[in-house]
Amino acid sequence: MSHRVCPWWLGYLLLLPVRRIRQNPRKLLGSLVREGMTVLEPGPGMGFFTLDLARMVGPGGRIVAVDLQERMLKVLRRRALKAGLVDRLDIRRAKSARLDVEDLTGRVDLVLAIFVVHEIPDAGTFFAEAYRALRPEGRLLFAEPKRHVSKDTFDRSLAAATRAGFVRFGELLFPGARAVVLART
């Protein structure tokens, strides 16, 4: 499988309001997100999920959004400012295929790996970094688009998550995607 990163200009299409009909962030993530949480969102793009997440965690919560592409982050920053939510966000540009979140070790409540693992050259490294960032019993939502990621590829990534220490916590109905909730033990 090719590990191509989503082109920055496609980020605008991912923000289209019609997407909310099938993938409403509040409905999809409502059972996982609580006020005051720290959420790590790798590959947020222009923030389709990010701004709703910031509202859901409230003023005492924090969203750490990490992306490779400065253009994506620039739009995310502008949208967060306009929405009055920028103070709840920690927007970071990754300099490599790594998350570079060592400062968050054991402090994250939830990692949202939504439509991003297939873009990363080494799923094992990704899941190991996410595992270290999570607090004990923290959760990770792993979702991949059915159109781009085969079941075999999804299962191989899931095996990499298991090798990193994650256990399956439950399923999540995520339209157009294969999705599973994992837990740090």
Side-chain angles (χ1 to χ4, degrees):
M1 160 146 227
S2 169
H3 297 284
R4 283 191 3 218
V5 174
C6 177
W8 69 268
W9 52 267
L10 192 57
Y12 288 107
L13 294 176
L14 296 173
L15 291 177
L16 290 175
V18 71
R19 182 178 179 194
R20 289 182 174 281
I21 294 169
R22 290 192 72 211
Q23 295 179 349
N24 182 303
R26 287 181 174 269
K27 288 180 182 176
L28 285 173
L29 305 175
S31 66
L32 297 172
V33 180
R34 300 282 178 260
E35 284 196 29
M37 286 181 112
T38 296
V39 178
L40 174 60
E41 186 186 15
M46 295 178 179
F48 178 77
F49 290 98
T50 315
L51 299 185
D52 282 298
L53 284 169
R55 290 179 185 100
M56 293 168 76
V57 299
R62 179 174 172 212
I63 308 300
V64 181
V66 181
D67 206 296
L68 283 170
Q69 301 181 73
E70 184 57 42
R71 285 182 168 179
M72 293 279 204
L73 294 174
K74 183 178 178 182
V75 174
L76 171 58
R77 219 176 269 112
R78 185 174 61 236
R79 292 181 68 233
L81 278 167
K82 184 177 178 182
L85 296 167
V86 76
D87 60 324
R88 298 178 192 182
L89 301 181
D90 177 355
I91 299 173
R92 301 178 182 195
R93 180 164 184 232
K95 294 170 184 60
S96 67
R98 299 181 56 97
L99 292 174
D100 296 324
V101 291
E102 289 78 19
D103 61 312
L104 298 177
T105 299
R107 297 175 45 209
V108 172
D109 299 295
L110 176 66
V111 176
L112 293 180
I114 300 175
F115 302 173
V116 69
V117 174
H118 69 277
E119 295 184 358
I120 299 171
D122 184 357
T125 299
F126 169 81
F127 284 114
E129 283 187 277
Y131 188 90
R132 284 190 299 272
L134 282 169
R135 64 170 176 73
E137 299 182 19
R139 306 284 185 255
L140 182 143
L141 170 59
F142 171 43
E144 292 284 35
K146 288 180 180 177
R147 282 189 170 170
H148 300 304
V149 179
S150 71
K151 182 167 180 354
D152 284 346
T153 301
F154 182 82
D155 289 343
R156 281 194 302 275
S157 294
L158 196 50
T162 301
R163 285 190 299 276
F166 285 102
V167 295
R168 188 180 291 239
F169 182 75
E171 305 294 318
L172 185 76
L173 181 60
F174 198 118
R178 291 179 180 84
V180 63
V181 178
L182 304 172
R184 179 177 186 223
T185 52

